[in-house]
Amino acid sequence: MFKPREHAEYGVGQAEGGKASAAAALSHAQVLPEEDFPEQADAGRAILLQLRERLSAWKAEIETRCDAVELAPDLAENIGSARWFRGLGTMLGLGLVAISFWPDFSALEAATAMPIGTAERDEFRSQMIVPLALGADSGRHMGATAAVVPLASTPERPTVKLTATLGKGDSFGRMLQRAGVGAGDASRVSDLVAAALPLDEIGSGTHFDITLGRRASPGQPRPLDKLAFRARFDLDVSIDREGGALALERHPITVDSTPLRITGKVGSSLYRSARAAGAPLKAIQQYLQTVDRHLSLENDIASSDQFDIIVAYKRSAKGETETGELLYAGLERAGRPRLQLLRWGSDGQFYEASGIGKQRTNQFAPVAGRMTSRYGMRRHPILGYRRMHSGVDFAARQGSPIFAVSDGVVAYSGRHGGHGKYVRIEHGGGLGTGYAHMSRIAVSSGTRVRAGQVIGYVGSTGLSTGPHLHFEVYRNGRKVDPMSVRFTVRHEVDKNELSAFKARLAELRAVTPGAALASLAPKQAEVKEPLREIDRLEN
């Protein structure tokens, strides 16, 4: 229907060979014949030709300049040149333009799929479940009708199960009554439990599983139907109501007390090696403190040595474990014991395999304070004349504890003239010590004391100008300079207990490492699979 126009005046370009290259098009001149508007058509064609020529010239000029400038060169070539930096600037500029048009992520409001009115919103709300924090005012609310009558009483649950916890400093009976147990049942339960074990042995934090029954009448407390708790590590206790009376039943728990023994190589760090071997943190701390009193942790222990740690350990058949104090601290070198320390006695001190404890020789300060007056002639602060000061004074706060400098027996305890409240201790070998001006005496005559034991408290009794301790040392009954005497403190196992001590040491060293971690569950006998019928026929 349409043919290409071959008139140059319409701006149609010619291809090579003089053939027209423009596609067929319907122009405004074809719709409106030229003879109808000859002047307007010529003017319009002239303007269009002029605009197209200008656009073509601008386009050619821009392309020429861009080709000369080369705004987008290959950045993999001539790195660092001006041409390369120009291309980098073009890339960064285009990136910034792209980022500036980056959309945000704010929510967009959209129209609902269907219009919702007030009635529809109320209908939806009646079917919602609103959280309590927001009022929980959802659901349908309907007025009461004549069919609704008030209840005379609300039914109670037949039984109530709860858990109560015994707090620190709390009473066993008060704890039961707070949980809802009646006073009569609480008193009866307390008597039953006290007959099985002392109530003060029940530790704070113990949980009690309580079951309360149905009330006999409204307003009365619920009767106790059942009570169960863990009384000790090795005992469970339950109380049940049988035939209307409460009865206690003990449930012993199998407990294994095999000590936990852990051995290993010292390596680069004794602490880290012991932790890697599974030793409890508390046991490692006690081990390091104990060994440090006999050896230097920095100089006397080699990386090739073997540490040996034994701690008290309990485990029940229910799976609970309980780790106690350090019992044995050992160290071996080249397969031979270098150090063997065993905890012994009520004071929990460690002794070597020979029965000798830590031996210390030093000048032991009897009080925590500074020395204010030395031994020798001086002007007495009260009497006002020069006289011999036969001891050493230590200034300390009123009531500070005073310690015995070595083991010994109290030879005198009481008032002693200008010394005020005074204590004298005989240490053997002709040596004795005196402690004067005490505010209070903590030992009596004839008492045997150990080094470091508190024997009294700082005061200002007798001829004294203020709270301090006057400390004297006697040698064969004569007073000597306390600073010239060094006391040797040496602890030994009693000779009557030495055999028991060595037997205990051999018992602990016979414990196999890791034996305390074996399962307590009884081993089930292997059950053989039943033979098939065809197997029986073959036999």
Side-chain angles (χ1 to χ4, degrees):
M1 177 178 177
F2 305 106
K3 297 181 180 180
R5 298 181 60 84
E6 300 177 359
H7 303 284
E9 63 269 23
Y10 292 100
V12 182
Q14 299 291 331
E16 296 182 2
K19 296 182 179 180
S21 60
L26 183 62
S27 66
H28 185 70
Q30 291 174 314
V31 178
L32 298 176
E34 295 180 6
E35 57 272 11
D36 295 337
F37 305 96
E39 296 179 359
Q40 292 84 344
D42 292 340
R45 282 195 296 270
I47 294 173
L48 287 176
L49 287 174
Q50 187 177 4
L51 289 177
R52 286 185 180 182
E53 289 176 358
R54 289 182 180 179
L55 289 176
S56 299
W58 291 345
K59 180 180 178 183
E61 184 179 358
I62 293 173
E63 289 178 353
T64 302
R65 290 184 178 181
C66 291
D67 185 60
V69 173
E70 193 178 6
L71 295 176
D74 189 356
L75 294 179
E77 298 178 355
N78 300 325
I79 299 176
S81 63
R83 175 174 172 270
W84 184 84
F85 279 108
R86 186 166 56 250
L88 180 63
T90 303
M91 183 186 68
L92 295 177
L94 293 176
L96 292 176
V97 171
I99 293 174
S100 64
F101 288 100
W102 187 271
D104 58 3
F105 295 96
S106 58
L108 297 178
E109 295 185 2
T112 57
M114 55 180 259
I116 300 178
T118 304
E120 289 79 8
R121 290 182 183 275
D122 292 341
E123 181 68 21
F124 288 154
R125 184 169 182 80
S126 67
Q127 300 174 16
M128 293 168 56
I129 301 178
V130 180
L132 291 174
L134 302 180
D137 56 348
S138 58
R140 290 182 178 273
H141 300 274
M142 302 179 65
T145 64
V148 178
V149 295
L151 293 174
S153 62
T154 57
E156 287 187 337
R157 297 170 57 185
T159 59
V160 175
K161 294 183 179 180
L162 51 92
T163 300
T165 303
L166 182 63
K168 188 175 182 179
D170 198 1
S171 168
F172 181 74
R174 289 198 303 268
M175 180 272 299
L176 293 177
Q177 293 186 35
R178 282 199 307 273
V181 180
D185 287 346
S187 176
R188 175 59 179 162
V189 169
S190 298
D191 294 339
L192 291 174
V193 175
L197 74 158
L199 293 179
D200 54 3
E201 289 187 3
I202 304 176
S204 59
T206 303
H207 298 287
F208 297 82
D209 296 328
I210 301 175
T211 302
L212 302 177
R214 189 187 298 274
R215 303 177 194 269
S217 60
Q220 295 295 323
R222 289 177 176 268
L224 178 66
D225 283 352
K226 188 174 182 179
L227 174 70
F229 67 99
R230 185 75 170 268
R232 291 195 308 262
F233 190 75
D234 60 346
L235 178 64
D236 273 346
V237 173
S238 65
I239 298 176
D240 295 291
R241 187 175 295 277
E242 300 176 356
L246 294 173
L248 183 142
E249 186 175 357
R250 300 166 59 96
H251 306 279
I253 303 172
T254 303
V255 174
D256 179 51
S257 301
T258 303
L260 176 62
R261 185 176 187 181
I262 302 172
T263 61
K265 190 176 181 180
V266 173
S268 60
S269 171
L270 176 57
Y271 174 83
R272 292 180 180 177
S273 299
R275 286 292 289 168
L281 180 60
K282 181 180 178 181
I284 297 176
Q285 293 174 344
Q286 293 180 350
Y287 177 85
L288 294 176
Q289 293 172 359
T290 303
V291 172
D292 187 50
R293 297 190 185 101
H294 296 78
L295 298 175
S296 173
L297 296 177
E298 292 79 13
N299 303 322
D300 296 339
I301 300 179
S303 59
S304 59
D305 292 347
Q306 298 282 331
F307 63 84
D308 194 352
I309 301 175
I310 301 180
V311 297
Y313 193 73
K314 291 182 180 180
R315 55 201 178 108
S316 69
K318 290 189 172 183
E320 299 93 347
T321 60
E322 187 178 278
T323 304
E325 298 290 333
L326 177 69
L327 301 178
Y328 173 82
L331 191 69
E332 295 184 1
R333 176 172 294 180
R336 295 184 178 181
R338 176 173 171 79
L339 187 66
Q340 296 181 4
L341 299 174
L342 175 66
R343 184 188 292 272
W344 188 260
S346 58
D347 54 358
Q349 294 192 24
F350 282 86
Y351 298 86
E352 296 179 357
S354 59
I356 300 176
K358 174 64 177 174
Q359 181 171 312
R360 183 180 66 247
T361 302
N362 60 356
Q363 290 178 333
F364 186 88
V367 69
R370 60 184 180 87
M371 186 185 302
T372 57
S373 182
R374 291 181 174 272
Y375 179 86
M377 295 296 295
R378 70 164 186 176
R379 181 180 180 84
H380 197 280
I382 296 179
L383 300 179
Y385 59 87
R386 289 179 61 82
R387 60 177 290 183
M388 184 66 181
H389 184 236
S390 56
V392 175
D393 289 345
F394 293 91
R397 298 181 62 180
Q398 178 82 15
S400 299
I402 301 172
F403 309 99
V405 296
S406 185
D407 298 348
V409 179
V410 178
Y412 181 85
S413 174
R415 286 275 181 176
H416 191 262
H419 285 153
K421 293 184 178 180
Y422 175 79
V423 171
R424 179 166 176 171
I425 302 175
E426 296 295 336
H427 303 286
L431 284 178
T433 54
Y435 311 81
H437 306 308
M438 293 185 181
S439 62
R440 182 161 59 93
I441 297 174
V443 292
S444 57
S445 298
T447 304
R448 186 167 191 84
V449 296
R450 285 185 173 271
Q453 180 177 337
V454 177
I455 59 174
Y457 300 90
V458 172
S460 186
T461 57
L463 291 177
S464 171
T465 58
H468 74 285
L469 169 67
H470 176 75
F471 176 62
E472 298 177 338
V473 175
Y474 303 87
R475 178 175 288 166
N476 297 324
R478 298 181 59 183
K479 297 178 181 179
V480 297
D481 185 1
M483 303 305 295
S484 65
V485 180
R486 292 181 178 271
F487 292 91
T488 299
V489 181
R490 182 178 181 181
H491 301 291
E492 296 185 25
V493 177
D494 189 89
K495 294 181 179 179
N496 298 328
E497 301 178 355
L498 189 57
S499 58
F501 172 82
K502 292 186 176 181
R504 176 60 173 169
L505 178 62
E507 178 185 356
L508 289 179
R509 287 183 55 82
V511 175
T512 304
L517 302 179
S519 175
L520 287 178
K523 296 183 178 180
Q524 298 181 355
E526 295 183 0
V527 180
K528 296 183 179 180
E529 295 183 359
L531 293 176
R532 297 176 300 173
E533 189 66 25
I534 187 172
D535 295 333
R536 294 194 182 98
L537 294 177
E538 290 179 355
N539 294 334

